[in-house]
Amino acid sequence: MTETIRLSADDIRRLRNLAEQIARTETVAARYTIEIAERFHLTTGRTALNVLAISDDPDWEDTDLNTTHPWLRIRERHALANGRALFDLYIYERPAFGETGDLICCVQAELDARGLAAVHAENARDIWRRPDSPAELPADPPQ
């Protein structure tokens, strides 16, 4: 059976607030649009919202952006890979309702079986980390 996670309303609110806070360090906008990246593996062609489901590379350089999906998909139940998930979030300015402006930055959300574990900016790890979450994720068990 595949282990799954559905983020709590508190985790979703925290993630959105942190993503917008990170975006504000780049530009001040009245509104932001957050989209979840679906990435594809460059060799296998497999796609996933959870980067860890398709890549063992710690920098996921073996993947690229396939498309993005609306923020509402964060409320879905997501499959974990070895007990973890990593989402790549794209934050855009939203100049008017229904419009997507320029890309401001990307934020990564790290999840585990208990929910949101950490949030990272493009060039900074651990912008936020759940107090009981380990600083470094354990290596995947040998196959």
Side-chain angles (χ1 to χ4, degrees):
M1 183 172 134
T2 303
E3 187 176 14
T4 62
I5 182 71
R6 177 176 286 153
L7 288 175
S8 70
D10 286 341
D11 279 346
I12 291 169
R13 193 172 18 262
R14 175 176 287 117
L15 178 55
R16 181 167 193 94
N17 289 339
L18 287 164
E20 290 181 356
Q21 178 183 344
I22 292 165
R24 280 188 199 96
T25 65
E26 301 293 327
T27 185
V28 178
R31 295 179 299 256
Y32 299 94
T33 296
I34 302 173
E35 295 185 347
I36 304 170
E38 176 183 274
R39 300 191 69 85
F40 73 93
H41 193 276
L42 296 171
T43 304
T44 66
R46 290 181 51 217
T47 62
L49 295 179
N50 178 0
V51 177
L52 301 177
I54 60 171
S55 178
D56 292 332
D57 184 329
D59 298 317
W60 22 293
E61 290 183 8
D62 55 355
T63 74
D64 202 354
L65 177 66
N66 186 44
T67 190
T68 60
H69 296 277
W71 171 250
L72 289 175
R73 294 224 31 208
I74 200 73
R75 297 182 184 282
E76 295 176 1
R77 182 164 293 279
H78 299 282
L80 300 176
N82 296 314
R84 304 174 8 221
L86 180 68
F87 294 136
D88 189 21
L89 307 174
Y90 281 55
I91 295 85
Y92 300 91
E93 285 186 72
R94 188 171 75 185
F97 186 75
E99 294 181 21
T100 300
D102 294 331
L103 177 65
I104 298 170
C105 63
C106 292
V107 171
Q108 292 76 44
E110 192 178 308
L111 285 62
D112 62 18
R114 295 188 50 220
L116 184 63
V119 176
H120 313 292
E122 287 176 291
N123 297 316
R125 284 193 52 80
D126 296 342
I127 298 296
W128 176 87
R129 182 167 286 280
R130 190 176 64 223
D132 64 344
S133 181
E136 288 296 320
L137 294 173
D140 291 334
Q143 299 297 323

PDB file of all heavy atoms in Angstrom, residues 94-121:
ATOM      1  N   ARG A  94       0.374  38.479  -9.428  1.00  0.00           N
ATOM      2  CA  ARG A  94      -0.963  38.381 -10.010  1.00  0.00           C
ATOM      3  C   ARG A  94      -1.470  39.812 -10.208  1.00  0.00           C
ATOM      4  O   ARG A  94      -2.014  40.420  -9.288  1.00  0.00           O
ATOM      5  CB  ARG A  94      -1.899  37.591  -9.112  1.00  0.00           C
ATOM      6  CG  ARG A  94      -3.227  37.308  -9.798  1.00  0.00           C
ATOM      7  CD  ARG A  94      -4.075  36.364  -9.031  1.00  0.00           C
ATOM      8  NE  ARG A  94      -4.662  37.049  -7.885  1.00  0.00           N
ATOM      9  CZ  ARG A  94      -5.387  36.461  -6.972  1.00  0.00           C
ATOM     10  NH1 ARG A  94      -5.590  35.163  -7.020  1.00  0.00           N
ATOM     11  NH2 ARG A  94      -5.894  37.136  -5.984  1.00  0.00           N
ATOM     12  N   PRO A  95      -1.261  40.367 -11.402  1.00  0.00           N
ATOM     13  CA  PRO A  95      -1.615  41.766 -11.635  1.00  0.00           C
ATOM     14  C   PRO A  95      -3.115  42.033 -11.554  1.00  0.00           C
ATOM     15  O   PRO A  95      -3.522  43.099 -11.116  1.00  0.00           O
ATOM     16  CB  PRO A  95      -1.076  42.057 -13.032  1.00  0.00           C
ATOM     17  CG  PRO A  95      -0.862  40.731 -13.667  1.00  0.00           C
ATOM     18  CD  PRO A  95      -0.693  39.721 -12.567  1.00  0.00           C
ATOM     19  N   ALA A  96      -3.930  41.100 -11.961  1.00  0.00           N
ATOM     20  CA  ALA A  96      -5.386  41.248 -11.895  1.00  0.00           C
ATOM     21  C   ALA A  96      -5.986  39.869 -11.686  1.00  0.00           C
ATOM     22  O   ALA A  96      -5.355  38.854 -11.984  1.00  0.00           O
ATOM     23  CB  ALA A  96      -5.921  41.870 -13.180  1.00  0.00           C
ATOM     24  N   PHE A  97      -7.191  39.819 -11.205  1.00  0.00           N
ATOM     25  CA  PHE A  97      -7.842  38.545 -10.941  1.00  0.00           C
ATOM     26  C   PHE A  97      -7.862  37.686 -12.202  1.00  0.00           C
ATOM     27  O   PHE A  97      -8.228  38.140 -13.272  1.00  0.00           O
ATOM     28  CB  PHE A  97      -9.272  38.751 -10.431  1.00  0.00           C
ATOM     29  CG  PHE A  97      -9.920  37.475 -10.015  1.00  0.00           C
ATOM     30  CD1 PHE A  97      -9.562  36.870  -8.834  1.00  0.00           C
ATOM     31  CD2 PHE A  97     -10.846  36.853 -10.824  1.00  0.00           C
ATOM     32  CE1 PHE A  97     -10.125  35.662  -8.449  1.00  0.00           C
ATOM     33  CE2 PHE A  97     -11.425  35.653 -10.461  1.00  0.00           C
ATOM     34  CZ  PHE A  97     -11.067  35.056  -9.262  1.00  0.00           C
ATOM     35  N   GLY A  98      -7.438  36.434 -12.063  1.00  0.00           N
ATOM     36  CA  GLY A  98      -7.458  35.510 -13.187  1.00  0.00           C
ATOM     37  C   GLY A  98      -6.247  35.597 -14.093  1.00  0.00           C
ATOM     38  O   GLY A  98      -6.089  34.780 -14.991  1.00  0.00           O
ATOM     39  N   GLU A  99      -5.381  36.578 -13.884  1.00  0.00           N
ATOM     40  CA  GLU A  99      -4.179  36.714 -14.711  1.00  0.00           C
ATOM     41  C   GLU A  99      -2.965  36.209 -13.944  1.00  0.00           C
ATOM     42  O   GLU A  99      -2.898  36.344 -12.729  1.00  0.00           O
ATOM     43  CB  GLU A  99      -3.939  38.178 -15.087  1.00  0.00           C
ATOM     44  CG  GLU A  99      -4.996  38.766 -15.982  1.00  0.00           C
ATOM     45  CD  GLU A  99      -4.691  40.215 -16.330  1.00  0.00           C
ATOM     46  OE1 GLU A  99      -3.519  40.634 -16.222  1.00  0.00           O
ATOM     47  OE2 GLU A  99      -5.633  40.922 -16.707  1.00  0.00           O
ATOM     48  N   THR A 100      -2.040  35.636 -14.661  1.00  0.00           N
ATOM     49  CA  THR A 100      -0.768  35.224 -14.083  1.00  0.00           C
ATOM     50  C   THR A 100       0.296  36.146 -14.637  1.00  0.00           C
ATOM     51  O   THR A 100       0.465  36.248 -15.845  1.00  0.00           O
ATOM     52  CB  THR A 100      -0.442  33.762 -14.434  1.00  0.00           C
ATOM     53  OG1 THR A 100      -1.489  32.942 -13.904  1.00  0.00           O
ATOM     54  CG2 THR A 100       0.882  33.340 -13.835  1.00  0.00           C
ATOM     55  N   GLY A 101       0.993  36.829 -13.747  1.00  0.00           N
ATOM     56  CA  GLY A 101       2.038  37.753 -14.160  1.00  0.00           C
ATOM     57  C   GLY A 101       3.374  37.059 -14.283  1.00  0.00           C
ATOM     58  O   GLY A 101       3.464  35.856 -14.532  1.00  0.00           O
ATOM     59  N   ASP A 102       4.422  37.815 -14.048  1.00  0.00           N
ATOM     60  CA  ASP A 102       5.781  37.304 -14.166  1.00  0.00           C
ATOM     61  C   ASP A 102       6.144  36.390 -13.004  1.00  0.00           C
ATOM     62  O   ASP A 102       5.696  36.594 -11.865  1.00  0.00           O
ATOM     63  CB  ASP A 102       6.777  38.471 -14.204  1.00  0.00           C
ATOM     64  CG  ASP A 102       6.621  39.321 -15.441  1.00  0.00           C
ATOM     65  OD1 ASP A 102       6.202  38.777 -16.490  1.00  0.00           O
ATOM     66  OD2 ASP A 102       6.896  40.531 -15.367  1.00  0.00           O
ATOM     67  N   LEU A 103       6.990  35.402 -13.298  1.00  0.00           N
ATOM     68  CA  LEU A 103       7.508  34.510 -12.265  1.00  0.00           C
ATOM     69  C   LEU A 103       8.403  35.313 -11.333  1.00  0.00           C
ATOM     70  O   LEU A 103       9.292  36.030 -11.779  1.00  0.00           O
ATOM     71  CB  LEU A 103       8.304  33.366 -12.899  1.00  0.00           C
ATOM     72  CG  LEU A 103       8.966  32.388 -11.939  1.00  0.00           C
ATOM     73  CD1 LEU A 103       7.925  31.609 -11.149  1.00  0.00           C
ATOM     74  CD2 LEU A 103       9.890  31.450 -12.685  1.00  0.00           C
ATOM     75  N   ILE A 104       8.163  35.197 -10.040  1.00  0.00           N
ATOM     76  CA  ILE A 104       8.972  35.893  -9.042  1.00  0.00           C
ATOM     77  C   ILE A 104      10.058  34.960  -8.517  1.00  0.00           C
ATOM     78  O   ILE A 104      11.226  35.309  -8.477  1.00  0.00           O
ATOM     79  CB  ILE A 104       8.103  36.383  -7.868  1.00  0.00           C
ATOM     80  CG1 ILE A 104       7.067  37.377  -8.371  1.00  0.00           C
ATOM     81  CG2 ILE A 104       8.967  37.000  -6.788  1.00  0.00           C
ATOM     82  CD1 ILE A 104       6.019  37.719  -7.334  1.00  0.00           C
ATOM     83  N   CYS A 105       9.654  33.765  -8.088  1.00  0.00           N
ATOM     84  CA  CYS A 105      10.618  32.831  -7.502  1.00  0.00           C
ATOM     85  C   CYS A 105       9.996  31.448  -7.402  1.00  0.00           C
ATOM     86  O   CYS A 105       8.816  31.263  -7.687  1.00  0.00           O
ATOM     87  CB  CYS A 105      11.063  33.310  -6.115  1.00  0.00           C
ATOM     88  SG  CYS A 105       9.732  33.395  -4.893  1.00  0.00           S
ATOM     89  N   CYS A 106      10.798  30.503  -6.975  1.00  0.00           N
ATOM     90  CA  CYS A 106      10.323  29.146  -6.700  1.00  0.00           C
ATOM     91  C   CYS A 106      10.590  28.832  -5.234  1.00  0.00           C
ATOM     92  O   CYS A 106      11.567  29.307  -4.648  1.00  0.00           O
ATOM     93  CB  CYS A 106      11.036  28.127  -7.578  1.00  0.00           C
ATOM     94  SG  CYS A 106      10.616  28.285  -9.317  1.00  0.00           S
ATOM     95  N   VAL A 107       9.722  28.052  -4.660  1.00  0.00           N
ATOM     96  CA  VAL A 107       9.818  27.633  -3.271  1.00  0.00           C
ATOM     97  C   VAL A 107       9.601  26.132  -3.252  1.00  0.00           C
ATOM     98  O   VAL A 107       8.802  25.614  -4.030  1.00  0.00           O
ATOM     99  CB  VAL A 107       8.745  28.357  -2.414  1.00  0.00           C
ATOM    100  CG1 VAL A 107       8.672  27.792  -1.014  1.00  0.00           C
ATOM    101  CG2 VAL A 107       9.010  29.859  -2.383  1.00  0.00           C
ATOM    102  N   GLN A 108      10.312  25.429  -2.382  1.00  0.00           N
ATOM    103  CA  GLN A 108      10.134  23.992  -2.270  1.00  0.00           C
ATOM    104  C   GLN A 108       9.491  23.663  -0.926  1.00  0.00           C
ATOM    105  O   GLN A 108       9.894  24.203   0.105  1.00  0.00           O
ATOM    106  CB  GLN A 108      11.464  23.245  -2.391  1.00  0.00           C
ATOM    107  CG  GLN A 108      12.075  23.327  -3.768  1.00  0.00           C
ATOM    108  CD  GLN A 108      12.722  24.671  -4.040  1.00  0.00           C
ATOM    109  OE1 GLN A 108      13.430  25.212  -3.208  1.00  0.00           O
ATOM    110  NE2 GLN A 108      12.468  25.220  -5.217  1.00  0.00           N
ATOM    111  N   ALA A 109       8.509  22.778  -0.961  1.00  0.00           N
ATOM    112  CA  ALA A 109       7.826  22.319   0.238  1.00  0.00           C
ATOM    113  C   ALA A 109       8.159  20.846   0.440  1.00  0.00           C
ATOM    114  O   ALA A 109       7.959  20.031  -0.446  1.00  0.00           O
ATOM    115  CB  ALA A 109       6.318  22.500   0.092  1.00  0.00           C
ATOM    116  N   GLU A 110       8.672  20.546   1.605  1.00  0.00           N
ATOM    117  CA  GLU A 110       9.067  19.189   1.960  1.00  0.00           C
ATOM    118  C   GLU A 110       8.018  18.627   2.920  1.00  0.00           C
ATOM    119  O   GLU A 110       7.680  19.266   3.908  1.00  0.00           O
ATOM    120  CB  GLU A 110      10.425  19.278   2.648  1.00  0.00           C
ATOM    121  CG  GLU A 110      11.160  18.020   2.853  1.00  0.00           C
ATOM    122  CD  GLU A 110      12.510  18.310   3.518  1.00  0.00           C
ATOM    123  OE1 GLU A 110      13.270  19.157   3.032  1.00  0.00           O
ATOM    124  OE2 GLU A 110      12.762  17.648   4.546  1.00  0.00           O
ATOM    125  N   LEU A 111       7.471  17.462   2.596  1.00  0.00           N
ATOM    126  CA  LEU A 111       6.439  16.838   3.412  1.00  0.00           C
ATOM    127  C   LEU A 111       6.914  15.479   3.901  1.00  0.00           C
ATOM    128  O   LEU A 111       7.776  14.853   3.284  1.00  0.00           O
ATOM    129  CB  LEU A 111       5.161  16.613   2.593  1.00  0.00           C
ATOM    130  CG  LEU A 111       4.277  17.795   2.260  1.00  0.00           C
ATOM    131  CD1 LEU A 111       4.981  18.814   1.421  1.00  0.00           C
ATOM    132  CD2 LEU A 111       3.035  17.312   1.561  1.00  0.00           C
ATOM    133  N   ASP A 112       6.339  15.059   5.009  1.00  0.00           N
ATOM    134  CA  ASP A 112       6.529  13.694   5.474  1.00  0.00           C
ATOM    135  C   ASP A 112       5.169  13.179   5.921  1.00  0.00           C
ATOM    136  O   ASP A 112       4.153  13.839   5.691  1.00  0.00           O
ATOM    137  CB  ASP A 112       7.603  13.607   6.566  1.00  0.00           C
ATOM    138  CG  ASP A 112       7.274  14.387   7.833  1.00  0.00           C
ATOM    139  OD1 ASP A 112       6.079  14.735   8.062  1.00  0.00           O
ATOM    140  OD2 ASP A 112       8.194  14.663   8.618  1.00  0.00           O
ATOM    141  N   ALA A 113       5.129  12.042   6.543  1.00  0.00           N
ATOM    142  CA  ALA A 113       3.862  11.427   6.916  1.00  0.00           C
ATOM    143  C   ALA A 113       3.066  12.266   7.915  1.00  0.00           C
ATOM    144  O   ALA A 113       1.860  12.081   8.056  1.00  0.00           O
ATOM    145  CB  ALA A 113       4.099  10.027   7.484  1.00  0.00           C
ATOM    146  N   ARG A 114       3.712  13.209   8.585  1.00  0.00           N
ATOM    147  CA  ARG A 114       3.033  14.058   9.570  1.00  0.00           C
ATOM    148  C   ARG A 114       2.600  15.397   8.993  1.00  0.00           C
ATOM    149  O   ARG A 114       2.016  16.196   9.695  1.00  0.00           O
ATOM    150  CB  ARG A 114       3.937  14.256  10.774  1.00  0.00           C
ATOM    151  CG  ARG A 114       4.171  12.913  11.484  1.00  0.00           C
ATOM    152  CD  ARG A 114       4.902  13.025  12.786  1.00  0.00           C
ATOM    153  NE  ARG A 114       4.318  14.030  13.638  1.00  0.00           N
ATOM    154  CZ  ARG A 114       5.042  14.868  14.373  1.00  0.00           C
ATOM    155  NH1 ARG A 114       6.354  14.820  14.337  1.00  0.00           N
ATOM    156  NH2 ARG A 114       4.456  15.761  15.140  1.00  0.00           N
ATOM    157  N   GLY A 115       2.942  15.672   7.723  1.00  0.00           N
ATOM    158  CA  GLY A 115       2.528  16.928   7.110  1.00  0.00           C
ATOM    159  C   GLY A 115       3.710  17.746   6.637  1.00  0.00           C
ATOM    160  O   GLY A 115       4.755  17.203   6.273  1.00  0.00           O
ATOM    161  N   LEU A 116       3.555  19.063   6.656  1.00  0.00           N
ATOM    162  CA  LEU A 116       4.600  19.968   6.198  1.00  0.00           C
ATOM    163  C   LEU A 116       5.794  19.876   7.132  1.00  0.00           C
ATOM    164  O   LEU A 116       5.683  20.093   8.337  1.00  0.00           O
ATOM    165  CB  LEU A 116       4.060  21.407   6.154  1.00  0.00           C
ATOM    166  CG  LEU A 116       4.991  22.469   5.598  1.00  0.00           C
ATOM    167  CD1 LEU A 116       5.319  22.194   4.121  1.00  0.00           C
ATOM    168  CD2 LEU A 116       4.356  23.852   5.748  1.00  0.00           C
ATOM    169  N   ALA A 117       6.956  19.517   6.576  1.00  0.00           N
ATOM    170  CA  ALA A 117       8.164  19.337   7.385  1.00  0.00           C
ATOM    171  C   ALA A 117       9.121  20.511   7.252  1.00  0.00           C
ATOM    172  O   ALA A 117       9.783  20.881   8.218  1.00  0.00           O
ATOM    173  CB  ALA A 117       8.878  18.042   6.987  1.00  0.00           C
ATOM    174  N   ALA A 118       9.221  21.105   6.040  1.00  0.00           N
ATOM    175  CA  ALA A 118      10.166  22.210   5.830  1.00  0.00           C
ATOM    176  C   ALA A 118       9.783  22.973   4.573  1.00  0.00           C
ATOM    177  O   ALA A 118       9.113  22.438   3.684  1.00  0.00           O
ATOM    178  CB  ALA A 118      11.591  21.679   5.706  1.00  0.00           C
ATOM    179  N   VAL A 119      10.252  24.215   4.528  1.00  0.00           N
ATOM    180  CA  VAL A 119      10.068  25.061   3.351  1.00  0.00           C
ATOM    181  C   VAL A 119      11.425  25.647   3.008  1.00  0.00           C
ATOM    182  O   VAL A 119      12.150  26.122   3.886  1.00  0.00           O
ATOM    183  CB  VAL A 119       9.039  26.189   3.610  1.00  0.00           C
ATOM    184  CG1 VAL A 119       8.938  27.123   2.419  1.00  0.00           C
ATOM    185  CG2 VAL A 119       7.678  25.593   3.956  1.00  0.00           C
ATOM    186  N   HIS A 120      11.765  25.591   1.711  1.00  0.00           N
ATOM    187  CA  HIS A 120      13.052  26.084   1.231  1.00  0.00           C
ATOM    188  C   HIS A 120      12.819  27.107   0.126  1.00  0.00           C
ATOM    189  O   HIS A 120      11.873  26.983  -0.649  1.00  0.00           O
ATOM    190  CB  HIS A 120      13.895  24.937   0.659  1.00  0.00           C
ATOM    191  CG  HIS A 120      13.935  23.731   1.533  1.00  0.00           C
ATOM    192  ND1 HIS A 120      14.565  23.699   2.753  1.00  0.00           N
ATOM    193  CD2 HIS A 120      13.376  22.492   1.378  1.00  0.00           C
ATOM    194  CE1 HIS A 120      14.416  22.492   3.307  1.00  0.00           C
ATOM    195  NE2 HIS A 120      13.693  21.747   2.484  1.00  0.00           N
ATOM    196  N   ALA A 121      13.718  28.096   0.052  1.00  0.00           N
ATOM    197  CA  ALA A 121      13.701  29.048  -1.057  1.00  0.00           C
ATOM    198  C   ALA A 121      14.685  28.530  -2.097  1.00  0.00           C
ATOM    199  O   ALA A 121      15.408  27.558  -1.864  1.00  0.00           O
ATOM    200  CB  ALA A 121      14.095  30.439  -0.580  1.00  0.00           C
TER     201      ALA A 121
END
